[in-house]
Amino acid sequence: MTTTRRRHTIAVCLGLWTLSLTACSTPPPPVLLSLPLPPAEAPVHLVAMAPAAPASAASAPRFLTVRRVNIPEYLQTDAVRYRQADNTLGEWPGTAWAERLEVGLTNQLALLLRQALPAWTVCDAHCPSVPTGQVLIVNIAPLDYLRPAGQLRADVAWRVTGPGSIPTPVAFGGGSSTLPVTSDTPVGQAAAMSALLDTVAKDVANQLR
């Protein structure tokens, strides 16, 4: 074997060896995290029946469009982030949201509102343009898992506006919340966010009923 051919063979072998090392060092795909599903609705025979509404009110369809939940820019990602200190953030390794966090929050909130307002049509896209349609806008900032303290800190502000080119406020609410994160894991963080949304949905539903 000539020197040139020997060098070529060695170069090819080194290249194949490098490729095999690269393939072996490829990290595994991340664990996909979602907000936990709320409990299923109770069977009809276990639900307390409310007094019958007047015919005019019962026949009027009611629509609620849930707009995309507004959260801080640094959370609008599929990375699962938490707050390490006042001005620093961290990310859980090997874990990602199954969908961008603001999308998951919106879908979960719409699901909770459908359960809380069975007489309404709740849309997470635009509901049909009808005179009875209303729009829910939710802002949550901050929305931080304060990991050293084991708490989820959130400031919520929401409002429901009526239809029309110049929407008029129908209801509003919100406030500051601090929820315990019982498990210092991405799953525990997601559970606390779900509990926060449950509180928001109940607050909205109580004012719209």
Side-chain angles (χ1 to χ4, degrees):
M1 180 182 293
T2 64
T3 302
T4 301
R5 181 173 296 179
R6 185 181 299 110
R7 289 175 179 173
H8 175 73
T9 302
I10 293 173
V12 170
C13 291
L14 287 174
L16 293 173
W17 180 69
T18 302
L19 288 174
S20 66
L21 288 179
T22 302
C24 293
S25 64
T26 301
V31 175
L32 296 181
L33 179 69
S34 70
L35 298 177
L37 289 174
E41 296 178 274
V44 174
H45 69 279
L46 296 180
V47 178
M49 300 301 292
S56 58
S59 61
R62 289 175 289 183
F63 295 86
L64 179 66
T65 296
V66 181
R67 291 279 174 82
R68 181 70 58 86
V69 174
N70 296 308
I71 59 175
E73 181 73 24
Y74 60 82
L75 295 177
Q76 296 178 29
T77 175
D78 61 357
V80 185
R81 292 176 173 168
Y82 56 85
R83 187 166 290 279
Q84 289 180 315
D86 289 344
N87 58 350
T88 58
L89 300 172
E91 294 183 359
W92 291 103
T95 306
W97 292 111
E99 54 191 349
R100 287 171 61 94
L101 180 56
E102 69 274 21
V103 175
L105 292 170
T106 305
N107 293 340
Q108 181 89 332
L109 181 58
L111 177 59
L112 290 166
L113 286 168
R114 290 188 189 103
Q115 292 185 353
L117 297 170
W120 288 63
T121 297
V122 179
C123 314
D124 47 17
H126 289 292
C127 284
S129 180
V130 292
T132 54
Q134 297 177 356
V135 175
L136 171 63
I137 300 171
V138 179
N139 297 285
I140 309 178
L143 176 59
D144 289 333
Y145 172 30
L146 308 177
R147 195 174 175 193
Q151 297 176 333
L152 179 73
R153 161 73 194 285
D155 288 353
V156 179
W158 64 265
R159 69 182 186 275
V160 176
T161 60
S165 56
I166 305 179
T168 55
V170 174
F172 60 91
S176 297
S177 298
T178 302
L179 288 78
V181 178
T182 56
S183 172
D184 183 29
T185 62
V187 171
Q189 181 176 340
M193 289 181 174
S194 182
L196 173 70
L197 286 182
D198 186 59
T199 300
V200 175
K202 289 176 179 176
D203 190 18
V204 173
N206 287 337
Q207 293 206 39
L208 292 183
R209 286 193 184 102

